[in-house]
């Protein structure tokens, strides 16, 4: 199709007072006079796609106008849709309604981003006119509008909103509704992902020791030792547990595997039972003999509970990700009446157990500095002895309890061997080795950190945790790989044959490889002087003492 533009302007013939026909104005050759435009007829088979029977184009010069026409014609032949005055808000609503494979949690998140953040700021802008400047301005206004709130919209939330919009506009680009995705030109505010700092092995052990006395004790072993998510632990079934036959070389008992096939998930105020989100989430987790033994004992206790309840025992019914009801059966962990557990209940229980680890009691009444007594509530151990005093789980001193006496309100007054060194607020705690505050999900992080510390391959850890790729595992726990990095550095150095190895102590000459005395302060000063002299006037045949003492001063 030939694209031809004609000159147009609003000039009139001074005699007839009529506008000059296109291309006939006597001033058309003057620079900047009028504009160039044209139109081309759209073939009948493409009218529905274009939304019109003609393509119109224009520009300040003939070349630019015809280039505009060529571009529009090429886009039409490539399948570019004509969206007309379709607004961004209307498109986002339609896009979300057409998403068939979204899980309820993702749909709820997308809906909130569109309703609360995107439509108020860019919803009225035509989809075809949306540019990166509009999106960037919207993000700035979102942050400014919530700056004074108790929970302002920060960079992390902006990044999630941006991910939703980019996903929606990528679909529009694939459907040829827009030629490019304007999200690609947006620079997001910088933010640093907080590093995961989970409990160490000793802290996890202290937690599991106390949790073992709980009714669902093995559940915490599956999370803390084997990295199950809380929803996966809620949805674990006895059908997925396979215990290996006992062997003579396993004195601790048989090991086994647990197949993760479903999870109980919360979205809003509702519950659902879904398959794991990805193929990697549907995994087989190897279990150690101790965990298998705990599960066997737990099943015996659950069988006794089921016999007591009788026919009323029922794990419950929950909807799947398509809203269809699913009868739950053979769950590992349930309430005493057989009903399924909820992820929120597990989180609440974990916090209660973690708080009691090493705890003697909580201070109920403020005590002034110099006081010889302190009133506490429920006691979890014999109080006589030396205890650490914690405020907000931070150790602030020690006290020695010599006795106790009851007071009104169910409290107990502890008598101290020495006066309090500082004032004690209500909520302060007495204990030994209290655990720092952590989320339930941090138990899963603890499992990963312990495995990394033991030198387990990153790919194996990734599979056990159900990550889609080891890259995700590495990015989450990169800061926990430092010991492995130091070990690798040492192994590489030892693997390379060297004629002379310089140990981490002082050598007195280039040919001498015997240990000498440690570096002193005067040695350090002399090394600096000698190094500066060597740098300014290098001498052949010998090296300065500073070269051989470099390792000793941390270089």
């Amino acid at each position: 199709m030939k694209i031809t533009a004609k000159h147009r302007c609003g000039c009139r013939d001074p005699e007839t007072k009529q506008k000059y026909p296109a291309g006939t104005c006597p001033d058309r050759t003057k620079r900047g006079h009028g504009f160039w435009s044209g139109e081309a007829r759209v073939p009948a088979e493409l009218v529905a796609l274009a939304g019109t029977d003609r393509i119109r184009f224009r520009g300040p010069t003939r070349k630019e106008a015809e280039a505009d026409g060529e571009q529009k014609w090429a886009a039409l032949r490539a399948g570019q849709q004509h969206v007309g005055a379709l607004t961004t808000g209307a498109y986002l609503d339609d896009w979300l309604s057409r998403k068939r494979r979204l899980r309820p949690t993702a749909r709820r998140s997308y809906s909130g981003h569109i309703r609360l953040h995107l439509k108020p700021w860019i919803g009225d802008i035509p989809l075809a006119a949306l540019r990166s400047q509009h999106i960037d301005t919207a993000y700035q206004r979102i942050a400014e509008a919530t700056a004074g709130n108790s929970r302002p919209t920060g960079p992390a939330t902006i990044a999630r909103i941006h991910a939703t919009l980019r996903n929606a506009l990528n679909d529009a680009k694939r459907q040829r509704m827009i030629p490019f995705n304007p999200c690609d030109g947006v620079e997001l505010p910088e933010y640093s992902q907080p590093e995961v700092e989970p409990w160490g092995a000793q802290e996890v052990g202290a937690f599991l020791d106390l949790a073992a006395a709980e009714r669902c004790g093995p559940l915490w072993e599956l999370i803390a030792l084997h990295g199950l998510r809380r929803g996966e632990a809620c949805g674990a079934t006895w059908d997925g547990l396979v215990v290996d036959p006992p062997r003579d070389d396993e004195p601790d008992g048989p090991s086994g595997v647990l197949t993760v096939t479903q999870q109980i998930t919360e979205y809003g105020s509702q519950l659902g039972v879904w398959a794991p989100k990805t193929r990697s989430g549907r995994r087989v987790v190897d279990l150690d003999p101790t965990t298998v033994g705990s599960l066997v004992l737990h099943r015996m206790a659950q069988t006794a509970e089921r016999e007591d309840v009788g026919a009323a025992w029922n794990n419950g019914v929950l909807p799947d990700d398509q809203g269809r009801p699913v009868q739950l059966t053979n769950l590992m962990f349930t309430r005493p009446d057989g009903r399924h557990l909820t992820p929120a209940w597990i989180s609440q229980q974990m916090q209660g157990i973690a708080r009691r680890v090493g705890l003697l009691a909580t201070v109920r009444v403020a005590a002034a500095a110099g006081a010889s007594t302190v009133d506490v509530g429920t006691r979890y151990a014999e109080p006589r002895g030396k205890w650490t005093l914690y405020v907000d789980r931070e150790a602030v001193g020690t006290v020695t309890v010599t006795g106790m006496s009851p007071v009104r309100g169910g409290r107990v007054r502890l008598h101290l061997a020495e006066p309090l060194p500082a004032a004690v607020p209500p909520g302060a705690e007495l204990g030994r080795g209290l655990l720092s505050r952590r989320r339930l999900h941090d138990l899963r992080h603890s499992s990963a950190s312990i495995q990394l510390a033991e030198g387990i391959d990153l790919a194996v850890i990734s599979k056990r945790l159900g990550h889609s790729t080891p890259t995700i595992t590495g990015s989450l726990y990169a800061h926990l790989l430092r010991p492995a990095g130091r070990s690798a550095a040492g192994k590489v150095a030892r693997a390379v044959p060297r004629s002379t190895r310089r140990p981490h102590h002082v050598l007195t000459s280039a040919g001498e490889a015997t240990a000498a005395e440690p570096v002193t302060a005067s040695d350090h000063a002399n090394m600096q002087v000698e190094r500066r002299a060597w740098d300014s006037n290098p001498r052949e045949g010998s090296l300065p003492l500073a070269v051989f003492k470099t390792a000793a001063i941390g270089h």
Side-chain angles (χ1 to χ4, degrees), residues 216-282:
C216 294
L219 179 144
W220 311 111
E221 295 184 40
L222 292 178
I223 296 175
L225 300 181
H226 306 289
L228 264 67
R229 301 175 176 90
R230 64 176 189 172
E232 293 170 346
C234 288
T237 65
W238 294 113
D239 298 331
L241 177 65
V242 177
V243 179
D244 298 333
R247 298 188 328 204
D248 294 337
D249 59 346
E250 292 181 331
D252 296 333
S255 56
V257 296
L258 177 66
T259 303
V260 178
T261 58
Q262 66 180 17
Q263 57 183 343
I264 294 178
T265 307
E266 288 180 321
Y267 55 102
S269 59
Q270 298 179 335
L271 292 172
V273 56
W274 308 336
K277 184 176 179 180
T278 62
R279 291 183 59 187
S280 55
R282 297 184 287 273

Side-chain angles (χ1 to χ4, degrees), residues 360-377 379 383 385 387-390 398-407 411-431:
L360 167 63
T362 301
V363 176
R364 296 303 183 194
V365 179
S372 59
T373 62
V374 60
D375 291 358
V376 300
R379 302 174 313 285
W387 300 92
T388 302
L389 181 63
Y390 295 83
T398 60
V399 297
T400 301
V401 179
T402 58
M404 62 179 178
S405 58
V407 295
R411 300 192 302 270
V412 170
R413 181 161 295 160
L414 302 181
H415 302 275
L416 308 179
E418 62 279 334
L420 285 173
V424 176
E429 297 166 308
L430 294 172

Side-chain angles (χ1 to χ4, degrees), residues 197-199 203 350-351 354 436-440 442-443:
E197 294 295 344
W199 286 334
E203 294 172 307
M350 178 266 180
Q351 294 298 329
S436 55
R437 290 189 176 94
R438 291 291 184 269
R439 307 167 304 161
L440 171 64
D442 290 328
L443 277 180

Side-chain angles (χ1 to χ4, degrees), residues 12 27 174 280 324 371 377 383 418 446 449 452 499 519 554:
R12 297 177 180 270
D27 296 330
R174 283 190 289 268
S280 55
R324 298 169 299 209
E418 62 279 334
S446 294
S449 68
L452 286 171
S499 59
V519 179

Side-chain angles (χ1 to χ4, degrees), residues 40-333:
R41 186 174 296 278
V42 176
E45 66 273 13
L46 298 179
V47 170
L49 179 65
T52 180
D53 61 347
R54 296 176 187 275
I55 294 177
R56 293 177 173 81
F57 48 91
R58 63 178 293 167
T61 65
R62 169 180 282 178
K63 184 176 181 180
E64 293 181 45
E66 292 180 350
D68 180 53
E70 294 286 358
Q71 182 180 3
K72 290 181 176 179
W73 175 246
L76 179 61
R77 296 297 299 180
Q80 184 75 47
Q81 294 188 47
H82 177 73
V83 296
L86 177 67
T87 64
T88 302
Y91 166 73
L92 290 174
D93 287 338
D94 179 66
W95 169 78
L96 186 59
S97 67
R98 290 184 285 104
K99 299 294 286 185
R100 295 288 182 265
R101 300 176 62 181
L102 281 183
R103 293 197 170 197
T105 48
R107 186 175 298 278
R108 181 171 176 265
S109 176
Y110 286 174
S111 177
H113 293 163
I114 292 171
R115 176 174 51 86
L116 299 176
H117 301 291
L118 295 175
K119 288 179 67 175
W121 299 108
I122 61 173
D124 294 335
I125 299 176
L127 179 63
L130 185 65
R131 296 294 182 265
S132 59
Q133 298 93 321
H134 301 137
I135 301 173
D136 186 64
T137 301
Y139 293 161
Q140 295 179 19
R141 292 179 177 176
I142 290 171
E144 293 170 358
T146 60
N149 297 351
S150 58
R151 296 184 63 183
T153 303
T157 304
I158 293 293
R160 289 191 289 269
I161 295 170
H162 183 71
T164 299
L165 181 61
R166 184 179 64 244
N167 190 1
L169 295 182
N170 277 337
D171 281 353
K173 180 181 176 181
R174 283 190 289 268
Q175 296 168 20
R176 305 302 180 99
M177 299 177 72
I178 53 177
F180 62 92
N181 189 338
C183 282
D184 295 339
V186 177
E187 183 175 347
L188 296 177
E190 184 178 2
Y191 75 98
S192 58
Q193 187 76 16
E195 290 186 346
V196 175
E197 294 295 344
W199 286 334
Q202 290 186 346
E203 294 172 307
V204 171
F207 173 84
L208 291 179
D209 286 344
L210 186 60
E214 298 293 316
R215 181 176 161 276
C216 294
L219 179 144
W220 311 111
E221 295 184 40
L222 292 178
I223 296 175
L225 300 181
H226 306 289
L228 264 67
R229 301 175 176 90
R230 64 176 189 172
E232 293 170 346
C234 288
T237 65
W238 294 113
D239 298 331
L241 177 65
V242 177
V243 179
D244 298 333
R247 298 188 328 204
D248 294 337
D249 59 346
E250 292 181 331
D252 296 333
S255 56
V257 296
L258 177 66
T259 303
V260 178
T261 58
Q262 66 180 17
Q263 57 183 343
I264 294 178
T265 307
E266 288 180 321
Y267 55 102
S269 59
Q270 298 179 335
L271 292 172
V273 56
W274 308 336
K277 184 176 179 180
T278 62
R279 291 183 59 187
S280 55
R282 297 184 287 273
R283 63 195 188 279
V284 176
V285 180
D286 288 281
L287 305 179
D288 64 289
T290 301
T291 302
V292 171
S294 299
L295 288 172
V296 170
L297 293 176
H298 173 70
R299 186 167 195 179
M300 294 171 62
Q302 188 187 74
T303 300
E305 288 179 344
R306 184 167 186 169
E307 291 174 353
D308 292 340
V309 174
W313 182 275
N314 186 358
N315 292 162
V317 178
L318 290 176
D320 63 8
D321 55 352
Q322 301 299 321
R324 298 169 299 209
V326 176
Q327 174 64 55
L328 301 175
T329 59
N330 221 13
L331 291 180
M332 275 187 176
F333 306 105

